[in-house]
Amino acid sequence: MSNNIPAELKYTKDHEWVLLEGDIVSVGITDFAQSSLGDIVFVELPEIGTELSAEDTFGVVESIKSVSDLYSPVSGEVVEANTDLEAGPEACNENPYGSWMIKLKVSSSDEYNALMSSEEYQEHCSNL
Amino acid sequence: MGLLTTSLHQVHLDLGAKMAPFAGYDMPLQYSSVKDESNAVRTNCGVFDVSHMGEFFVTGKDAIKFVDYLITNDFLSADLHKAVYSPLCREDGTTIDDLIAYKLGQERVLICVNASNIEKDWNWISSQTNSFDIELVNKSSEYSLLAVQGPKVVEIFKSIELLSDEDNMEYYSAKELNKLGEQVILARTGYTGEDGFEVFCSHDMAKNLWSKLLDKGALPCGLAARDVLRLEVCYPLYGHELNDQLTPLDAALKWTVKTQKDNFIGKAALIESKPKKRLVKLSLEKGIPREGYNILNSKDEIIGVVTSGTMSVATGKGIALGLVDSDKFPKDKAFKINIRKNNIEAIYHVKAFVTGGHK
């Protein structure tokens, strides 16, 4: 199974990657996740303005044979949703780290700092 | 208890297949991608390891008569070397399984049953043999089974000398032939809607054939692609459209219930029975219906449930089979499917989503 884990990102146990830039985090699914799911054919994302708490479900990603919830890694307000993925969900397979799904405006970086580092995520995946 | 494995298990692992438990076996779900595998079967050739399926042999003077009594479809009048798809019912008309019976000889029949029902079917079938002069044997563990499906299958089979023009294998025929130094059962059947064969053979031969087929360009395909393909052509699957509580009439399989036959198990009940359910074929412009999602009418009232759903690789749309309560079937044929928070309008289909290419 492919498992490309960029060092500059943070990760969740649910296989989302997280990038913090200023007070905005971008969230997508990892290479491990896309590889486990197989052909991704549908992505459902939240409305802009949705308020999320950490671990809230914010959307759904579907492969041909399965449905998986997407979980917010941190608390914040959805300020952008990548609607390109609704038209071209296969980008999640082709370029998982280039295919952010939502951007959240966060008020504190505490939850972000508590997420897994690339080394911790590597360890997490190797135990699955 | 650990999972069972087929003769090709190590081959699947070596190919990097994504494996999953299925009917007590560790089976390949997919190798490359479900899309590529489905496309291969529709346009070229794909090979599936379906060795987990069950094989029962009925031999003896009454073999054909016995199988005809056992199943709802007409086996007696089928030509020699023909295969017959049929439900297997109880006296009350409920369905134990669906199966394919192969008329290999006047006194020799192969019954191929679903992997998950082998024990249930065996117990039932072996309890029905009393007044028949037959011998019934369960050879499920002795046979491997490859399903080789797609428009290029004949060309590939001829190139590896598994088929010759003289074999005269018509659609839905089955023969025992000596091929590549062994006795194999070749059946022009499958469950993808495409032209294809199922090859019942020894475990060693399965490994040999698998590598020959791949060398000739057949793509290894997993159970996920198989499910997409059968759903695109609207073939029912036991445990989904059919189950222990439903009759074949509930699952739109009236065509397989030949009440004009002299006698068969469940005949009286099925003559009296009114379908409780209606099978519907629905597609969506946006979204993917999944098993268990509710089917609604135009007033958003729940009238049924999706029994199988997926994204169709061939059409690029969400497709579903579902069972709707007969008395709630809407005259306007307006349906919706509830997906999470939304009730999404569905398109009602009379025909299958995809027209298969079988001969």
Side-chain angles (χ1 to χ4, degrees):
Chain A
M1 181 161 294
S2 77
N3 206 5
N4 167 24
I5 304 175
E8 65 274 22
L9 301 174
K10 292 276 205 176
Y11 299 89
T12 71
K13 63 179 174 22
D14 301 308
H15 307 286
E16 282 105 8
W17 60 259
V18 188
L19 173 69
L20 178 67
E21 292 171 302
D23 60 352
I24 302 289
V25 296
S26 302
V27 182
I29 61 166
T30 64
D31 191 35
F32 181 93
Q34 70 77 23
S35 174
S36 305
L37 286 165
D39 302 303
I40 293 171
V41 289
F42 189 78
V43 177
E44 189 175 284
L45 298 174
E47 300 280 328
I48 290 170
T50 306
E51 290 283 348
L52 296 169
S53 297
E55 300 190 6
D56 277 358
T57 303
F58 74 77
V60 164
V61 60
E62 301 197 38
S63 67
I64 292 176
K65 294 306 299 173
S66 68
V67 186
S68 302
D69 284 330
L70 296 163
Y71 298 98
S72 186
V74 295
S75 304
E77 179 192 344
V78 177
V79 291
E80 274 189 83
N82 188 355
T83 50
D84 287 351
L85 295 180
E86 291 172 353
E90 62 279 2
C92 301
N93 289 123
E94 290 157 5
N95 184 14
Y97 297 110
S99 301
W100 61 274
M101 291 175 164
I102 54 168
K103 294 191 180 190
L104 291 170
K105 185 169 187 182
V106 294
S107 51
S108 145
S109 55
D110 292 352
E111 288 171 335
Y112 171 82
N113 290 330
L115 296 170
M116 280 188 269
S117 67
S118 59
E119 292 83 6
E120 287 165 332
Y121 181 59
Q122 171 78 62
E123 176 73 18
H124 174 67
C125 291
S126 64
N127 289 329
L128 294 176
Chain B
M1 198 175 80
L3 290 171
L4 299 168
T5 56
T6 72
S7 61
L8 290 160
H9 189 253
Q10 190 57 49
V11 176
H12 303 319
L13 298 181
D14 292 345
L15 284 168
K18 193 180 289 178
M19 306 294 285
F22 187 86
Y25 282 80
D26 191 33
M27 294 300 288
L29 208 56
Q30 68 183 78
Y31 301 82
S32 46
S33 94
V34 179
K35 270 187 191 172
D36 292 348
E37 293 167 25
S38 300
N39 283 329
V41 171
R42 294 269 178 248
T43 61
N44 187 3
C45 187
V47 54
F48 302 84
D49 176 18
V50 284
S51 303
H52 58 318
M53 304 280 285
E55 292 88 12
F56 303 156
F57 284 84
V58 186
T59 51
K61 195 163 66 64
D62 293 339
I64 291 170
K65 215 164 71 175
F66 172 66
V67 175
D68 191 64
Y69 168 71
L70 209 55
I71 65 178
T72 62
N73 208 341
D74 186 358
F75 193 62
L76 196 63
S77 58
D79 290 341
L80 188 64
H81 301 306
K82 274 288 175 188
V84 173
Y85 168 80
S86 181
L88 173 74
C89 289
R90 300 180 182 83
E91 290 289 0
D92 67 359
T94 56
T95 316
I96 298 164
D97 198 7
D98 61 346
L99 54 80
I100 297 180
Y102 300 88
K103 204 181 262 193
L104 300 176
Q106 292 298 356
E107 298 191 0
R108 184 165 164 80
V109 178
L110 163 62
I111 300 175
C112 183
V113 302
N114 283 305
S116 51
N117 291 335
I118 292 175
E119 193 181 342
K120 181 174 70 160
D121 292 359
W122 175 256
N123 290 340
W124 174 257
I125 294 172
S126 54
S127 73
Q128 302 297 321
T129 59
N130 283 350
S131 55
F132 295 91
D133 183 3
I134 56 153
E135 189 189 357
L136 178 68
V137 283
N138 179 356
K139 293 206 173 185
S140 301
S141 60
E142 292 174 36
Y143 275 87
S144 282
L145 177 59
L146 301 185
V148 193
Q149 305 277 296
K152 299 271 174 71
V153 66
V154 169
E155 184 185 319
I156 289 176
F157 270 26
K158 285 185 177 172
S159 74
I160 60 170
E161 296 181 354
L162 194 58
L163 190 72
S164 73
D165 290 334
E166 291 72 44
D167 294 327
N168 292 322
M169 294 292 299
E170 294 168 354
Y171 181 59
Y172 252 68
S173 67
K175 286 181 182 173
E176 273 179 296
L177 297 165
N178 201 299
K179 295 288 178 184
L180 310 173
E182 271 192 41
Q183 191 86 344
V184 301
I185 298 170
L186 216 53
R188 200 158 187 174
T189 52
Y191 222 59
T192 63
E194 294 303 322
D195 188 17
F197 289 83
E198 289 172 298
V199 187
F200 299 84
C201 59
S202 70
H203 301 315
D204 283 344
M205 185 158 186
K207 284 185 246 182
N208 180 18
L209 272 181
W210 181 273
S211 85
K212 280 179 186 279
L213 291 164
L214 264 53
D215 285 347
K216 294 292 178 182
L219 193 71
C221 298
L223 295 182
R226 191 168 167 83
D227 195 50
V228 170
L229 291 158
R230 72 96 193 164
L231 191 46
E232 286 179 340
V233 289
C234 296
Y235 291 169
L237 186 64
Y238 196 87
H240 296 259
E241 287 69 45
L242 274 168
N243 62 46
D244 277 316
Q245 279 78 47
L246 298 175
T247 72
L249 310 180
D250 295 326
L253 289 172
K254 193 177 177 192
W255 67 274
T256 64
V257 180
K258 300 290 165 54
T259 49
Q260 69 273 25
K261 279 198 326 184
D262 265 359
N263 195 20
F264 63 89
I265 301 170
K267 180 178 175 180
L270 288 166
I271 286 173
E272 294 295 316
S273 175
K274 295 270 187 298
K276 297 185 290 291
K277 304 283 181 187
R278 271 184 72 167
L279 187 84
V280 292
K281 302 162 188 156
L282 302 173
S283 72
L284 299 178
E285 284 301 319
K286 192 182 175 193
I288 306 170
R290 304 287 181 179
E291 184 179 354
Y293 287 5
N294 283 324
I295 299 174
L296 309 113
N297 61 17
S298 59
K299 294 175 194 161
D300 290 341
E301 296 161 332
I302 296 171
I303 56 170
V305 68
V306 170
T307 49
S308 297
T310 192
M311 170 68 107
S312 161
V313 172
T315 69
K317 289 181 181 163
I319 57 170
L321 294 178
L323 291 171
V324 167
D325 293 345
S326 294
D327 55 356
K328 293 179 184 164
F329 186 88
K331 286 194 179 122
D332 62 1
K333 297 189 173 86
F335 294 90
K336 294 179 186 177
I337 295 177
N338 174 260
I339 301 184
R340 295 177 281 277
K341 292 173 192 154
N342 303 314
N343 295 339
I344 298 173
E345 284 189 23
I347 299 157
Y348 176 79
H349 294 250
V350 176
K351 293 183 178 170
F353 307 109
V354 169
T355 307
H358 64 68
K359 303 292 172 195

